[in-house]
Amino acid sequence: DKYLIQSFVNETRVLEIADEELSETEIDGFDHNAQTIFCSNVLGDCLLQITEVSLRLVSTKSKQLLKEWFPPNGERITVAGGNVQQVVLTSGKRTLIYLDVSNGDITEVKRVEMDQEIACLNLNPLGEKSDHGKSNFVAVGHWNLSLSMLRLPSLEVVCTETIGGDAIPRSLLL
């Protein structure tokens, strides 16, 4: 809770918040030479950084890289979202990958190929009875102007709706 992460096209900068002042610093386990697609605090006293090439878990205490996960076949990560225990990301344009990022480890849970290209993702937990910040669903926005709800951990499509108009979804909130 003492860092402000700034993502730019070709770099990531970290500002440390101390005594109501901001000063630039580095987190050794972060890739500062890459754009950060998604960043978050996760269970197990870790920071999560997702770039186009990898998902990185970094210790909040030592600032060192604990684990790193790479998408299959050297594909690029194009979209990502997460919460304190879970991450969903798109590898390439249609491959949706669900990962568990709790307790300092990264575990790939499920991978599916979607029918349409993915534009945005969200897996915020719904309701007061969420399992310690875990979500049971992921919302997926597609470039073909549709939205899908998928069940976790199976990534089974529960429903898909066309949103109409010509506005492509770029962000979702559950």
Side-chain angles (χ1 to χ4, degrees):
D1 291 348
K2 65 179 191 174
Y3 298 109
L4 174 64
I5 310 298
Q6 300 174 303
S7 179
F8 299 94
V9 174
N10 293 315
E11 67 179 325
T12 295
R13 293 184 188 165
V14 179
L15 298 177
E16 186 171 15
I17 304 165
D19 300 325
E20 298 183 23
E21 297 284 327
L22 290 174
S23 59
E24 193 161 351
T25 188
E26 290 203 358
I27 297 174
D28 294 335
F30 267 34
D31 183 351
H32 293 276
N33 296 315
Q35 178 184 22
T36 296
I37 297 171
F38 182 82
C39 191
S40 179
N41 294 307
V42 296
L43 290 182
D45 292 324
C46 292
L47 299 172
L48 168 71
Q49 180 193 30
I50 301 176
T51 67
E52 286 185 334
V53 297
S54 72
L55 183 153
R56 303 167 70 88
L57 275 182
V58 176
S59 167
T60 57
K61 293 179 178 133
S62 69
K63 298 183 184 178
Q64 299 299 310
L65 179 66
L66 298 174
K67 297 278 182 171
E68 188 169 19
W69 178 90
F70 297 91
N73 306 318
E75 289 186 352
R76 296 282 189 208
I77 298 169
T78 54
V79 180
N83 59 42
V84 296
Q85 295 189 63
Q86 303 162 292
V87 167
V88 286
L89 55 83
T90 301
S91 172
K93 295 180 180 180
R94 294 183 180 179
T95 305
L96 182 64
I97 301 172
Y98 168 48
L99 302 115
D100 180 285
V101 292
S102 57
N103 300 314
D105 203 6
I106 303 168
T107 305
E108 186 175 322
V109 178
K110 184 76 175 175
R111 180 187 312 202
V112 297
E113 197 70 23
M114 300 295 291
D115 292 335
Q116 302 295 325
E117 290 183 35
I118 298 169
C120 54
L121 301 165
N122 187 287
L123 71 140
N124 285 336
L126 292 173
E128 295 177 17
K129 295 183 179 185
S130 65
D131 182 20
H132 304 287
K134 279 184 100 168
S135 179
N136 294 316
F137 298 95
V138 58
V140 180
H142 302 280
W143 286 102
N144 74 339
L145 308 177
S146 67
L147 302 171
S148 298
M149 288 292 289
L150 285 71
R151 188 178 324 278
L152 294 173
S154 67
L155 294 178
E156 166 195 358
V157 176
V158 176
C159 65
T160 299
E161 293 291 327
T162 301
I163 57 176
D166 58 359
I168 296 170
R170 295 300 291 142
S171 181
L172 298 169
L173 177 63
L174 290 175

